[in-house]
């Protein structure tokens, strides 16, 4: 009887996994079907429903009768994690007027929240009107068709600092960001991601180059969560940021934390040994592992294997690579 019950449980679990796999690969995503379209000052044409932003199920393990109950349960958990898409919400709760000598402008505080999350998953940035204007101009170069019905808030000759105009722009920019994020190709574009992360990353790398590792680390840790959510599906995108965090922790004599972030970076480079960060990261990880009393032989073997496949060319250290990022 126990064997029959075990087989029945396996069959039921297999059928459930198959239903999840079928529904996640054949039906349009909830995001594209149900997400309301934002408006600036016009009605935006409705886009065609697109498939969900999950990885192709063929890249994961396919359920089959040879899998054990434990393997099926793990497969099911992985499928559910992939089907749960991260969505971001944009809020602009406040502004501040900045005056510098002859210039005066409004800074808009943007809070970026992950749906269904608590405050620990929010990111806070500030952008001014000219930043939004530059983003729109850059996006039009690549996505003119998608944005042809979008009217961007124009500057006025007078009244730019009145409470009425500022409040109107707060709402307009909130809807604008919401609209951009609703378009799959725009939200994945480098121009959109740079708008939300590049100023902070430039500041962090500037601090790193100046030896201000504590300040650099603080900024990098704040931005990496947002950067990771924005670049989902591109595991290499946050490798430079992870490696910069490794450099900061290492120079601040926090080897355990440096090793932790180094492991995260290496996991994203698995099977991609030609990446410019791969060998410098391996060398740093070997040093850290030795310092922490961890097994470094497997890392050393990977390094030696890399050297046998590559021509003997000059390779930068991890720190040398990091300080070269975001150099104007």
């Amino acid at each position: 009887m126990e064997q029959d019950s075990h087989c029945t449980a396996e069959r039921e679990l297999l059928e459930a996994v198959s239903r999840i796999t079928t529904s996640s690969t054949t039906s349009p995503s909830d995001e594209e079907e149900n997400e309301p379209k934002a408006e600036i000052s016009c009605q935006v044409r409705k886009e065609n429903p697109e498939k969900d932003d999950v990885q192709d199920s063929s890249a994961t393990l396919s359920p089959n009768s040879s899998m054990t109950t434990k393997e099926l349960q793990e497969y099911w958990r992985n499928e559910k994690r992939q089907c749960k898409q991260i969505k971001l919400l944009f809020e602009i709760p406040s502004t501040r007027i900045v005056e510098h000598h002859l210039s005066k402008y409004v800074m808009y505080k943007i809070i970026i929240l992950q749906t269904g999350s608590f405050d620990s998953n929010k990111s806070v940035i500030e952008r001014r009107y000219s930043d939004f204007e530059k983003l729109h101009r850059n996006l039009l170069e690549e996505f003119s068709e998608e944005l042809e019905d979008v009217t961007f808030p124009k500057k006025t000759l007078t009244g730019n600092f009145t409470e009425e105009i500022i409040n109107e722009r707060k709402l307009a920019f909130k809807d604008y960001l919401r609209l951009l994020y609703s378009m799959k190709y725009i939200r994945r574009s480098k121009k959109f991601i740079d708008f939300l992360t590049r100023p902070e990353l430039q500041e962090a790398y500037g601090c790193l180059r100046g030896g201000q590792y504590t300040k650099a680390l603080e900024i990098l840790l704040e931005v990496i969560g947002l950067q990771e959510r924005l670049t989902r599906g591109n595991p290499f995108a946050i490798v430079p940021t992870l490696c910069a965090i490794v450099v900061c922790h290492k120079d601040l004599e926090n080897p355990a934390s440096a090793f932790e972030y180094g492991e995260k970076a290496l996991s994203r480079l698995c099977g991609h040994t030609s990446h410019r960060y791969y060998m410098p990261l391996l060398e740093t990880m070997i040093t850290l592992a030795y310092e922490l009393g961890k097994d470094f032989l497997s890392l050393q073997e990977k390094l030696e294997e890399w050297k046998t496949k590559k021509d003997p060319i000059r390779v930068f250290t991890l720190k040398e690579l990091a300080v070269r990022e975001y150099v104007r």
Side-chain angles (χ1 to χ4, degrees):
M1 290 292 292
E2 290 184 3
Q3 185 175 2
D4 292 342
S5 300
H6 182 72
C7 293
T8 301
E10 281 197 7
R11 283 196 300 272
E12 290 177 352
L13 188 56
L14 176 58
E15 290 173 0
V17 172
S18 298
R19 286 196 296 272
I20 289 177
T21 305
T22 302
S23 62
S24 67
T25 56
T26 59
S27 60
S29 69
D30 292 339
E31 177 188 3
E32 300 299 338
E33 284 191 336
N34 301 327
E35 186 170 304
K37 303 301 179 184
E39 295 180 359
I40 305 298
S41 61
C42 60
Q43 182 67 34
V44 181
R45 69 185 185 283
K46 188 175 182 181
E47 296 184 282
N48 293 327
E50 299 180 40
K51 290 186 177 180
D52 213 349
D53 288 339
V54 297
Q55 294 180 347
D56 187 351
S57 62
S58 63
T60 61
L61 184 63
S62 298
N64 57 67
S65 58
S66 65
M67 295 171 68
T68 65
T69 301
K70 184 177 180 180
E71 289 171 337
L72 282 167
Q73 289 172 339
E74 182 61 29
Y75 176 83
W76 195 3
R77 282 193 291 269
N78 289 336
E79 283 295 315
K80 289 173 70 177
R81 280 196 293 267
Q82 287 187 10
C83 292
K84 184 180 179 181
Q85 183 181 355
I86 292 177
K87 296 181 183 179
L88 299 181
L89 300 176
F90 298 87
E91 298 291 339
I92 303 182
S94 61
T95 61
R96 63 187 178 95
I97 297 176
V98 179
E99 294 189 58
H100 280 310
H101 303 297
L102 300 177
S103 66
K104 183 179 179 181
Y105 54 87
V106 179
M107 294 294 290
Y108 296 85
K109 181 179 181 180
I110 306 169
I111 297 179
I112 306 163
L113 296 162
Q114 181 176 322
T115 55
S117 67
F118 297 100
D119 287 348
S120 59
N121 286 321
K122 74 178 181 182
S123 299
V124 181
I125 60 176
E126 283 189 317
R127 298 293 182 266
R128 55 188 290 187
Y129 179 93
S130 59
D131 296 324
F132 282 97
E133 190 176 40
K134 181 180 178 181
L135 169 66
H136 189 67
R137 187 168 60 249
N138 289 339
L139 289 176
L140 282 174
E141 295 175 358
E142 189 174 351
F143 304 103
S144 58
E145 184 177 347
E146 288 83 352
L147 298 175
E148 64 182 359
D149 294 328
V150 177
T151 302
F152 189 81
K154 294 182 179 180
K155 275 187 176 179
T156 57
L157 294 176
T158 59
N160 285 304
F161 301 100
T162 63
E163 184 177 355
E164 181 182 2
I165 293 296
I166 291 174
N167 285 334
E168 285 180 3
R169 287 182 178 167
K170 277 170 55 178
L171 294 174
F173 287 144
K174 172 187 171 181
D175 285 344
Y176 179 66
L177 291 173
R178 182 167 170 253
L179 170 62
L180 296 182
Y181 186 76
S182 72
M183 300 178 185
K184 182 170 73 172
Y185 294 108
I186 290 183
R187 72 168 170 263
R188 290 178 174 179
S189 71
K190 185 178 184 300
K191 293 172 182 178
F192 180 65
I193 294 170
D194 278 353
F195 169 79
L196 296 172
T197 62
R198 189 177 180 89
E200 286 72 26
L201 287 172
Q202 285 179 323
E203 181 183 0
Y205 280 98
C207 292
L208 193 157
R209 284 188 288 274
Q212 302 175 49
Y213 301 114
T214 301
K215 180 63 175 177
L217 183 60
E218 178 186 336
I219 300 171
L220 290 168
L221 291 175
E222 285 183 2
V223 76
I224 193 168
L226 173 60
Q227 190 183 18
E228 185 170 17
R229 293 194 293 271
L230 288 167
T231 58
R232 235 171 133 245
N234 181 4
F236 313 121
I238 66 168
V239 167
T241 308
L242 287 171
C243 289
I245 292 174
V246 171
V247 169
C248 290
H249 274 306
K250 189 172 183 296
D251 279 33
L252 290 169
E253 299 183 356
N254 300 324
S257 296
F259 191 84
E260 176 188 348
Y261 280 93
E263 285 187 314
K264 292 179 181 179
L266 269 183
S267 69
R268 285 162 173 78
L269 295 178
C270 182
H272 293 81
T273 60
S274 60
H275 195 283
R276 71 186 191 281
Y277 271 92
Y278 182 75
M279 199 278 277
L281 178 59
L282 267 182
E283 289 184 328
T284 300
M285 290 294 285
I286 291 169
T287 301
L288 290 169
Y290 182 80
E291 183 178 349
L292 294 167
K294 295 180 179 288
D295 173 31
F296 62 88
L297 293 178
S298 59
L299 295 170
Q300 186 70 46
E301 289 174 0
K302 290 179 180 178
L303 181 61
E304 295 302 323
E305 182 182 355
W306 183 91
K307 288 181 178 179
T308 60
K309 293 180 179 179
K310 299 292 181 181
D311 294 329
I313 57 174
R314 184 182 186 279
V315 178
F316 294 115
T317 65
L318 195 67
K319 187 172 183 178
E320 287 173 337
L321 273 182
V323 299
R324 282 167 169 76
E325 294 286 343
Y326 292 95
V327 175
R328 291 182 182 274

